[in-house]
Amino acid sequence: MSETGRNPIDFPMALLAELTHRCPLQCPYCSNPVELEQAGRELDTGTWLRVIEEAAELGALQIHFSGGEPTVRKDLEEMVARARDVGLYSNLITAGVLLDEDRVGRLVDSGLDHVQLSFQDSEATGAERIGGYPDAQKKKLRFAGWVRAAGLPLTLNLVVHRQNLDHLPQLIELAVELGAQRAEIAHVQYYGWAFRNRAALMPTREQLERATATVEEARERLKGRLVLDYVVPDYYARRPKSCMGGWGRRFLNVSPAGKVLPCHAAETITGLRFDSVTERSLADIWQHSEAFEIYRGTDWMPEPCRSCERREIDWGGCRCQAFAITGEAGATDPACALSPFHDQLVALAEADSGADCRDFVYRRFANVVRRNTPMPAK
Amino acid sequence: MAGRITISEESVPRLPPGVKLRHDKARDQWLVQAPERVFVPDPIALEVIRRCNGEASVGAIVDDLAKTFQAPREVILGDVTEMLQDLADKAVMTA
């Protein structure tokens, strides 16, 4: 049996519904744009319900309710129920600190299929410093219990970086103890908030090598009990990751205000114009919007990507990373050793990993900046 | 926390909570939906998965397949056990 990711399909696989940028946590590596959307600009319930229907008609199979913290929206149950009615597999991506047991029950009754719960660290002090939210750990542990008691499958989302990587074995153990079926261990991706915080987050090469060995050992030991997904960072690699499975190939992201993006970080690329679900249908945007067309497939690629034998494997890597490092979203991803900026990326990673910096710029409205200024190219 | 599931002839396999077999109209294809994953079963896998209803044992499923497809039972038993074990290790099957 094959996963569909290995066979090209002209339909999107999944809709990432970013219902809001409001969140009680303030993780310094948040994937939201550094210009956060205010609550007053969020789409209303009716528009979201229409977007959910349009996504199913377009051929999407799954919907991820995300944010910000999606449970701040009181109408989440209504959206989950609509996703069920139109046959979308629904996934709630949450910090788990705002719900009580009744609300978990209501979400289950509405047809929720799966929960992804974040943990910032294995022990409370570190976790609550990273997330900037007191008492989070206790609430998360309680929430995980309610999810499991309700019979819902649980995945732990573990974003790892220099300040929690040494606790990776304990984080994996936590997933086992909580009865999770899966844990997704993802190294921080450096754009948006994480780009601002890279000196406090970037792991050392040694940490990375240890983490990879830990995951490999745990995979073998926990085979058939816990599935471990591991998103390997590519700044110390020789070839880029297949970001989003290729631009405009598998995912649609709808922002809180209704902008349709090929990936959740796409707004970090200044100069791209994104269409809104308030003006065009989802299908029209998926098929024709300029922001989707511009880096879809392989025609846009410069050399050495264009003639590379891996062009339909990694689809040119990450456009946001290319923009953040080179100032050109259409440039070869600097994670690739063939990019003229590769040495600069590695040097930056090594310098940041050795930085004597533990303090974060927390992700909060007070720290919002107007523009994510790309790093100078030289 | 339960240990690893081992599939034998006596196991009674079923899809775990959060895993669904469904026909997708847009693609005209049977799909297995799982957390953040979608699998496309080949025609043989589909015949097996459809029979994993939480009532029939692996042995009974193999009997049925041997009859339906006029194939040697022991070959089918080996293939089906291996397939279900692989699916169980990926958390898309339980027993």
Side-chain angles (χ1 to χ4, degrees), chain A residues 187-299:
Chain A
H187 285 268
V188 167
Q189 305 281 325
Y190 291 93
Y191 26 65
W193 290 94
F195 199 75
R196 289 178 78 179
N197 280 296
R198 61 193 188 275
L201 295 169
M202 187 68 78
T204 62
R205 256 182 214 269
E206 294 69 39
Q207 272 187 314
L208 262 184
E209 282 162 17
R210 235 181 3 253
T212 305
T214 299
V215 171
E216 281 167 9
E217 180 278 324
R219 266 188 184 148
E220 199 47 47
R221 179 168 50 87
L222 299 171
K223 194 170 184 179
R225 299 167 64 194
L226 181 71
V227 176
L228 287 172
D229 277 5
Y230 185 50
V231 180
V232 199
D234 59 6
Y235 34 84
Y236 290 133
R238 310 233 2 119
R239 290 290 177 267
K241 62 184 179 294
S242 171
C243 196
M244 306 303 284
W247 185 273
R249 277 188 75 244
R250 303 185 65 200
F251 294 97
L252 286 153
N253 185 104
V254 177
S255 81
K259 281 192 214 158
V260 188
L261 318 170
C263 96
H264 53 267
E267 281 182 289
T268 60
I269 302 173
T270 55
L272 277 187
R273 206 187 68 79
F274 300 102
D275 287 295
S276 169
V277 294
T278 58
E279 288 155 8
R280 296 173 75 172
S281 75
L282 209 55
D284 186 26
I285 295 172
W286 174 252
Q287 283 150 13
H288 307 297
S289 126
E290 193 194 327
F292 278 79
E293 286 284 303
I294 185 166
Y295 302 122
R296 181 179 263 153
T298 55
D299 286 351

Side-chain angles (χ1 to χ4, degrees), chain A residues 28 32 127 211 225 333 373:
Chain A
N32 287 161
R225 299 167 64 194
D333 184 340
T373 316

Side-chain angles (χ1 to χ4, degrees), chain B residues 5-65:
Chain B
I5 292 159
T6 309
I7 302 289
S8 69
E9 204 173 335
E10 289 72 43
S11 307
V12 179
R14 63 187 154 82
L15 296 178
V19 179
K20 296 171 165 179
L21 174 69
R22 74 176 188 91
H23 186 262
D24 176 58
K25 269 185 283 181
R27 294 165 184 76
D28 189 23
Q29 199 168 39
W30 284 91
L31 300 171
V32 177
Q33 294 258 40
E36 282 201 278
R37 283 177 170 73
V38 178
F39 298 91
V40 185
D42 61 37
I44 297 166
L46 179 61
E47 291 298 333
V48 176
I49 294 167
R50 277 179 151 157
R51 288 167 168 81
C52 297
N53 56 10
E55 289 171 18
S57 68
V58 171
I61 291 170
V62 169
D63 287 342
D64 185 30
L65 289 168

